[in-house]
Amino acid sequence: IVEARLNLLLNRESLDGQITVPPRVGIIMGSDSDLPVMSDAARILNSFGVPYEVRIVSAHRTPEMMFSYALSARGQGIQIIIAGAGGMVAALTPLPVIGVPVRASSLDGLDSLLSIVQMPRGVPVATVAINNATNAGLLAVRMLGVGDADLQERTIQYQEDMKNDVLAKTEKLET
Ligand code: RP5
C-alpha cells in the first residue's frame, strides 16, 4: 500500500519487474499520513539516482518494528536515515539521521520541530525545516556526496540550476 501511494505521489509506475539496487537511504515515518510530506525526500533521491527504501514505523504504535529497523539499518547497507520525527532512531543507530518535523493537525508542526531539534547531548539529529523533506533529501545527497564525486558534482549542478532559475525569474520580473 505504501509503495502504491508513493508511486502515485511520485507519478511513478510500479517498480514490479524492475531490477532494484540495495537502498542507501532509509526514509521512515510514523504514519502513512506523513507520506505526502516525506515523498518529497524520495522525489529528490529519485532525481539524483540514489536508491532508497520507505518504511512506516512508529515509535509510539509499532515500537518493536521501529527498534528493529533502527538497529538493523546499518547492517542492511543503509548509510543515512531520513525520519519524519526521528529522535528515537538516532539513539539506536550510528548512522546519520535527518529529522523532518511534520506539520500534524494542531500545533502547526512546532511540537514536532522542538521534539526533534531538542535532542540531548550524544543523540544528534540533523533537523530541517517543518515539512521540508526536500531539504532532507538534498542533505542526504550532500552527505553521500562527500565520498562520491559524481554525486557531489550533481549537487553542484543542482545548485547552478537553482541559481539560473532564480536569475531567469528575476529577469522576467524586471522586463
Ligand atoms: C505521528 O503522529 C505520525 O508520524 C504523524 O505525523 C502524526 C499523526 O499520525 P496519524 O494519526 O495521522 O496516523 O506519530
Side-chain angles (χ1 to χ4, degrees):
I1 295 175
V2 170
E3 186 160 338
R5 283 195 62 189
L6 191 66
N7 289 338
L8 203 61
L9 286 162
L10 297 179
N11 301 319
R12 185 176 70 177
E13 71 282 354
S14 160
L15 284 178
D16 291 345
Q18 289 187 26
I19 298 170
T20 55
V21 293
R24 298 177 71 183
V25 178
I27 301 174
I28 64 175
M29 62 206 81
S31 169
D32 63 337
S33 68
D34 300 317
L35 260 177
V37 169
M38 299 304 288
S39 58
D40 286 341
R43 189 170 289 109
I44 286 291
L45 296 176
N46 267 346
S47 69
F48 280 87
V50 174
Y52 61 90
E53 64 183 7
V54 179
R55 294 287 182 276
I56 308 279
V57 291
S58 167
H60 308 103
R61 295 173 174 152
T62 59
E64 299 84 359
M65 272 175 67
M66 192 279 289
F67 267 67
S68 165
Y69 185 85
L71 291 169
S72 64
R74 182 168 71 102
Q76 300 296 322
I78 298 292
Q79 294 173 292
I80 295 170
I81 294 176
I82 294 174
M88 279 294 289
V89 174
L92 299 165
T93 178
L95 297 176
V97 176
I98 303 170
V100 181
V102 176
R103 180 179 296 121
S105 51
S106 48
L107 300 175
D108 218 18
L110 186 59
D111 52 335
S112 182
L113 172 63
L114 296 178
S115 73
I116 299 172
V117 75
Q118 282 306 112
M119 282 289 113
R121 261 190 299 277
V123 187
V125 176
T127 308
V128 295
I130 293 169
N131 276 14
N132 197 334
T134 294
N135 274 2
L138 290 170
L139 181 54
V141 167
R142 287 184 181 214
M143 289 176 177
L144 293 173
V146 170
D148 181 330
D150 174 54
L151 202 48
Q152 194 167 71
E153 197 50 46
R154 274 184 267 163
T155 290
I156 294 168
Q157 186 56 54
Y158 180 93
Q159 291 173 301
E160 195 59 28
D161 294 347
M162 186 170 59
K163 185 175 67 178
N164 292 335
D165 184 50
V166 168
L167 290 174
K169 283 174 182 164
T170 308
E171 278 169 27
K172 198 171 177 184
L173 277 177
E174 288 166 355
T175 51

Short mmCIF file of all heavy atoms in Angstrom, two decimals, residues 85-87 99-101 109-121 123-129:
data_model
loop_
_atom_site.label_atom_id
_atom_site.label_comp_id
_atom_site.label_asym_id
_atom_site.label_seq_id
_atom_site.Cartn_x
_atom_site.Cartn_y
_atom_site.Cartn_z
N ALA A 85 9.97 12.89 12.19
CA ALA A 85 10.33 12.78 13.61
C ALA A 85 11.77 12.25 13.62
O ALA A 85 12.60 12.72 12.90
CB ALA A 85 9.36 11.90 14.38
N GLY A 86 12.09 11.20 14.40
CA GLY A 86 13.45 10.67 14.23
C GLY A 86 14.33 10.65 15.45
O GLY A 86 15.40 10.07 15.43
N GLY A 87 13.91 11.28 16.53
CA GLY A 87 14.78 11.32 17.70
C GLY A 87 15.15 9.95 18.21
O GLY A 87 16.32 9.63 18.41
N GLY A 99 16.16 14.55 10.60
CA GLY A 99 14.78 14.62 11.10
C GLY A 99 13.96 15.63 10.32
O GLY A 99 14.41 16.75 10.09
N VAL A 100 12.76 15.22 9.93
CA VAL A 100 11.83 16.12 9.24
C VAL A 100 10.62 16.36 10.14
O VAL A 100 9.83 15.43 10.37
CB VAL A 100 11.33 15.50 7.91
CG1 VAL A 100 10.38 16.47 7.19
CG2 VAL A 100 12.50 15.13 7.00
N PRO A 101 10.50 17.55 10.72
CA PRO A 101 9.29 17.85 11.51
C PRO A 101 8.09 17.87 10.58
O PRO A 101 8.11 18.61 9.58
CB PRO A 101 9.58 19.24 12.10
CG PRO A 101 11.03 19.50 11.85
CD PRO A 101 11.40 18.71 10.63
N GLY A 109 3.15 22.03 13.58
CA GLY A 109 4.49 21.47 13.35
C GLY A 109 5.51 21.89 14.39
O GLY A 109 6.60 21.31 14.47
N LEU A 110 5.16 22.88 15.21
CA LEU A 110 6.14 23.37 16.20
C LEU A 110 6.46 22.27 17.22
O LEU A 110 7.61 22.07 17.62
CB LEU A 110 5.59 24.60 16.91
CG LEU A 110 6.56 25.30 17.88
CD1 LEU A 110 7.81 25.75 17.13
CD2 LEU A 110 5.88 26.50 18.56
N ASP A 111 5.44 21.50 17.57
CA ASP A 111 5.66 20.37 18.51
C ASP A 111 6.66 19.38 17.93
O ASP A 111 7.63 18.97 18.58
CB ASP A 111 4.33 19.69 18.80
CG ASP A 111 3.55 19.30 17.53
OD1 ASP A 111 3.78 19.95 16.48
OD2 ASP A 111 2.75 18.37 17.59
N SER A 112 6.48 19.06 16.66
CA SER A 112 7.36 18.09 16.01
C SER A 112 8.78 18.67 15.88
O SER A 112 9.78 18.00 16.15
CB SER A 112 6.80 17.74 14.63
OG SER A 112 7.60 16.77 14.01
N LEU A 113 8.85 19.95 15.51
CA LEU A 113 10.17 20.60 15.36
C LEU A 113 10.94 20.54 16.66
O LEU A 113 12.10 20.11 16.72
CB LEU A 113 9.97 22.05 14.92
CG LEU A 113 11.23 22.93 14.89
CD1 LEU A 113 12.25 22.42 13.87
CD2 LEU A 113 10.86 24.38 14.60
N LEU A 114 10.31 20.95 17.73
CA LEU A 114 11.01 21.00 19.02
C LEU A 114 11.38 19.60 19.52
O LEU A 114 12.44 19.38 20.08
CB LEU A 114 10.15 21.73 20.05
CG LEU A 114 9.89 23.21 19.73
CD1 LEU A 114 8.99 23.84 20.80
CD2 LEU A 114 11.19 23.98 19.60
N SER A 115 10.50 18.63 19.24
CA SER A 115 10.78 17.27 19.73
C SER A 115 11.97 16.66 19.00
O SER A 115 12.63 15.76 19.51
CB SER A 115 9.55 16.37 19.53
OG SER A 115 9.41 16.05 18.15
N ILE A 116 12.27 17.18 17.80
CA ILE A 116 13.40 16.63 17.04
C ILE A 116 14.67 17.43 17.31
O ILE A 116 15.73 16.87 17.56
CB ILE A 116 13.10 16.65 15.52
CG1 ILE A 116 11.87 15.80 15.22
CG2 ILE A 116 14.30 16.16 14.72
CD1 ILE A 116 11.39 15.93 13.77
N VAL A 117 14.54 18.74 17.28
CA VAL A 117 15.77 19.57 17.35
C VAL A 117 16.35 19.56 18.77
O VAL A 117 17.55 19.66 18.97
CB VAL A 117 15.47 21.01 16.88
CG1 VAL A 117 14.69 21.80 17.92
CG2 VAL A 117 16.74 21.73 16.47
N GLN A 118 15.47 19.40 19.79
CA GLN A 118 15.95 19.46 21.18
C GLN A 118 16.40 18.09 21.67
O GLN A 118 15.93 17.59 22.67
CB GLN A 118 14.84 20.00 22.09
CG GLN A 118 14.67 21.51 22.04
CD GLN A 118 15.97 22.26 22.31
OE1 GLN A 118 16.49 22.89 21.40
NE2 GLN A 118 16.51 22.11 23.50
N MET A 119 17.35 17.50 20.96
CA MET A 119 17.86 16.19 21.37
C MET A 119 18.93 16.38 22.48
O MET A 119 19.68 17.35 22.45
CB MET A 119 18.50 15.48 20.17
CG MET A 119 17.49 14.86 19.23
SD MET A 119 16.72 13.43 19.98
CE MET A 119 15.06 14.03 20.16
N PRO A 120 19.03 15.46 23.41
CA PRO A 120 20.06 15.56 24.44
C PRO A 120 21.45 15.32 23.85
O PRO A 120 21.59 14.73 22.77
CB PRO A 120 19.69 14.46 25.44
CG PRO A 120 18.90 13.47 24.66
CD PRO A 120 18.19 14.26 23.59
N ARG A 121 22.47 15.77 24.57
CA ARG A 121 23.86 15.54 24.14
C ARG A 121 24.06 14.04 23.88
O ARG A 121 23.57 13.20 24.63
CB ARG A 121 24.82 15.97 25.25
CG ARG A 121 25.44 17.35 25.06
CD ARG A 121 26.55 17.57 26.09
NE ARG A 121 26.00 17.49 27.44
CZ ARG A 121 25.40 18.53 28.05
NH1 ARG A 121 25.27 19.68 27.40
NH2 ARG A 121 24.92 18.43 29.26
N VAL A 123 22.94 12.44 21.26
CA VAL A 123 21.95 11.89 20.31
C VAL A 123 21.68 12.95 19.24
O VAL A 123 20.64 13.63 19.27
CB VAL A 123 20.65 11.50 21.03
CG1 VAL A 123 19.70 10.77 20.05
CG2 VAL A 123 20.92 10.64 22.25
N PRO A 124 22.61 13.09 18.30
CA PRO A 124 22.45 14.16 17.30
C PRO A 124 21.43 13.79 16.22
O PRO A 124 21.41 12.66 15.74
CB PRO A 124 23.85 14.24 16.68
CG PRO A 124 24.39 12.85 16.79
CD PRO A 124 23.82 12.28 18.07
N VAL A 125 20.59 14.76 15.87
CA VAL A 125 19.67 14.60 14.73
C VAL A 125 19.74 15.88 13.90
O VAL A 125 19.46 16.97 14.41
CB VAL A 125 18.22 14.36 15.18
CG1 VAL A 125 17.28 14.31 13.96
CG2 VAL A 125 18.10 13.09 16.00
N ALA A 126 20.16 15.76 12.64
CA ALA A 126 20.17 16.94 11.75
C ALA A 126 18.70 17.25 11.46
O ALA A 126 17.96 16.37 11.02
CB ALA A 126 20.90 16.62 10.45
N THR A 127 18.27 18.47 11.74
CA THR A 127 16.85 18.79 11.62
C THR A 127 16.62 19.83 10.52
O THR A 127 17.30 20.85 10.50
CB THR A 127 16.32 19.36 12.96
OG1 THR A 127 16.68 18.44 14.01
CG2 THR A 127 14.81 19.52 12.93
N VAL A 128 15.71 19.54 9.63
CA VAL A 128 15.37 20.50 8.56
C VAL A 128 14.08 21.24 8.96
O VAL A 128 13.47 20.96 9.99
CB VAL A 128 15.21 19.80 7.20
CG1 VAL A 128 16.52 19.19 6.73
CG2 VAL A 128 14.09 18.76 7.24
N ALA A 129 13.69 22.15 8.12
CA ALA A 129 12.50 22.97 8.42
C ALA A 129 11.23 22.12 8.40
O ALA A 129 11.21 21.03 7.80
CB ALA A 129 12.40 24.10 7.39
#
